[in-house]
Amino acid sequence: MTYSDKMLRDDALSGKTIVVTGGGSGLGKAMTQYFLELGAKVAITSRNLEKLQATADELSSLTGGECFAVSCDVREYDQVVEMHEKVVEKLGPIDVLLNNAAGNFISPTENLSANAFDTIIDIVLKGTKNCTLVFGKHWIKTKQKNVNVLNIITTYAFTGSGYVVPSAVSKAGVLAMTRSLAVEWAKYGMRFNAIAPGPFPTKGAWERLLPGPLVKKFDPAKKVPLGRVGEHQELANLAAYMVSDFGAYLNGETIVLDGGEWLKGAGQFNMLDKIPKAMWTMLRKIMLKKK
Ligand code: HXC
Ligand code: NAP
């Protein structure tokens, strides 16, 4: 068995209907594939219907599951209402909302136009708010219980990070929403959780966060104590557990899946990793002499 094997029993999500925003590519696609393999019906949604339909067709034939593509710009509340109606009509009551859609790019903050900043806030924070409000209000109105929302955030939601400030601000807001509603809406039978992934290579993220020569200059694996980036199945395993009934007691939690990356950046003396073994002997002698 290896860490990239599929973790849950085959029927772990049977009977569940799941909506994955941004499900046409990258991590959303990987999670969708595993949800289908575990017996769920999945609706994938984003702006680009052609891309979504190609993914839905590919994953349906690969898994034999039912994958429904529906276009929706999560920035627009009316489009989210319409997307929700279409999914309920096609697949029946929804059990899980996975807020995965995002927009991001690197830039010195002083170079950002007001519209550039707003664009990221609108996709990440407002988009998550729009979906959460539409789905949550419906669940409350229809008294549907045992439902949950999983939000994909980042570790800089709690550390902050330069050069991706609109994303950091937005993901921090999503984290606050996760924790707030985990308490407020538990009485309606809803759970809210989040995953903060470390580096998981995807075309969407790599093109925008490590463009051109940066990908050679900054190898993300070098920042991870475990010495590697994540594999999509590792994230899919965790997400499937969290949205399934096995995760029924998990509420308000953020699980970091990053091989220790953010802690390495945070620990004040972790840079001493760079000191070779032989030098430690010399340093020890110097310190003991001082005593
Ligand atoms: C500065 C930029 C810019 C850049 C766009 N803008 N890219 N400014 N540097 N690289 C500015 C534009 O000039 C414009 O401002 C405003 O942002 C909106 O740009 P549009 O192209 O009109 O927006 P839109 O078509 O809506 O596209 C949104 C997008 C795009 C975010 C810019 O990249 C996108 O569609 N992204 C979706 C997928 C994505 O980003 N995936 C990566 C997620 S990775 P003006 O003022 O000129 O009008 C992720 C990982 C986090 O989140 C953690 C990793 C460890
Ligand atoms: P990705 O493939 O670019 O995924 C982003 C998705 O969001 C795309 O499918 C995109 O589809 C959709 N989207 C963007 N704007 C939208 C909008 N306005 N309305 C609806 N959908 C929209 O990148 P990814 O790496 O898989 O990222 C997935 C999630 O993981 C994001 O939340 C990201 O912040 C998070 N994350 C990723 C990493 C990583 O290392 N990859 C690390 C930490 C966190 P359309 O273009 O068709 O709309």
Side-chain angles (χ1 to χ4, degrees):
M1 203 164 52
T2 72
Y3 55 76
S4 53
D5 283 346
K6 299 179 185 199
M7 188 175 81
L8 293 186
R9 49 194 269 183
D10 289 349
D11 60 350
L13 292 175
S14 95
K16 300 278 183 207
T17 297
I18 302 177
V19 171
V20 180
T21 69
S25 63
L27 303 182
K29 181 178 174 185
M31 290 185 278
T32 297
Q33 180 176 336
Y34 194 40
F35 295 166
L36 289 165
E37 286 168 351
L38 295 173
K41 291 187 278 185
V42 186
I44 53 175
T45 179
S46 77
R47 296 163 299 178
N48 182 338
L49 185 59
E50 207 180 311
K51 178 175 90 179
L52 286 172
Q53 194 57 59
T55 298
D57 292 345
E58 180 194 338
L59 296 185
S60 298
S61 73
L62 203 65
T63 64
E66 187 169 3
C67 188
F68 175 48
V70 49
S71 71
C72 166
D73 186 330
V74 292
R75 293 174 282 197
E76 304 297 332
Y77 192 82
D78 291 350
Q79 288 192 31
V80 175
V81 171
E82 206 177 306
M83 173 270 284
H84 179 266
E85 279 169 6
K86 281 184 186 160
V87 178
V88 172
E89 196 184 303
K90 174 87 177 164
L91 302 180
I94 300 161
D95 304 286
V96 178
L97 165 65
L98 172 44
N99 284 308
N100 164 79
N104 203 358
F105 50 76
I106 49 166
S107 174
T109 307
E110 65 273 24
N111 293 354
L112 293 173
S113 67
N115 185 43
F117 211 122
D118 285 349
T119 298
I120 303 307
I121 294 181
D122 286 352
I123 300 171
V124 179
L125 182 54
K126 196 171 141 193
T128 302
K129 175 275 290 178
N130 283 342
C131 293
T132 305
L133 210 51
V134 169
F135 283 57
K137 278 170 180 273
H138 183 81
W139 282 326
I140 293 167
K141 197 170 120 200
T142 57
K143 297 191 166 55
Q144 195 186 334
K145 304 260 192 280
N146 191 25
V147 291
N148 70 87
V149 177
L150 178 61
N151 294 323
I152 304 300
I153 59 167
T154 58
T155 54
Y156 58 60
F158 36 89
T159 63
S161 175
Y163 304 97
V164 284
V165 171
S167 173
V169 166
S170 306
K171 296 286 192 183
V174 174
L175 172 58
M177 197 175 353
T178 308
R179 290 177 171 159
S180 305
L181 291 178
V183 176
E184 188 184 338
W185 282 357
K187 60 180 175 279
Y188 298 120
M190 292 181 218
R191 298 187 290 118
F192 287 81
N193 292 293
I195 298 178
F200 283 75
T202 64
K203 188 168 180 286
W206 259 227
E207 274 176 0
R208 293 171 177 91
L209 302 176
L210 292 167
L214 291 201
V215 75
K216 285 211 176 109
K217 203 168 159 59
F218 300 109
D219 176 2
K222 293 211 172 106
K223 286 183 67 212
V224 180
L226 291 177
R228 66 172 177 89
V229 293
E231 287 202 17
H232 290 195
Q233 186 60 40
E234 294 180 277
L235 183 78
N237 282 340
L238 177 61
Y241 158 70
M242 290 173 82
V243 303
S244 78
D245 291 339
F246 292 117
Y249 203 48
L250 193 70
N251 189 28
E253 192 53 79
T254 298
I255 300 186
V256 173
L257 191 67
D258 76 339
E261 184 203 35
W262 86 268
L263 282 171
K264 180 171 177 171
Q268 229 160 3
F269 286 91
N270 288 341
M271 79 290 191
L272 298 185
D273 259 356
K274 295 204 175 89
I275 294 187
K277 258 194 189 155
M279 197 172 168
W280 278 114
T281 314
M282 186 263 284
L283 291 171
R284 187 184 161 148
K285 277 187 193 147
I286 295 172
M287 287 185 281
L288 289 176
K289 232 187 240 168
K290 285 252 151 79
K291 241 170 111 191

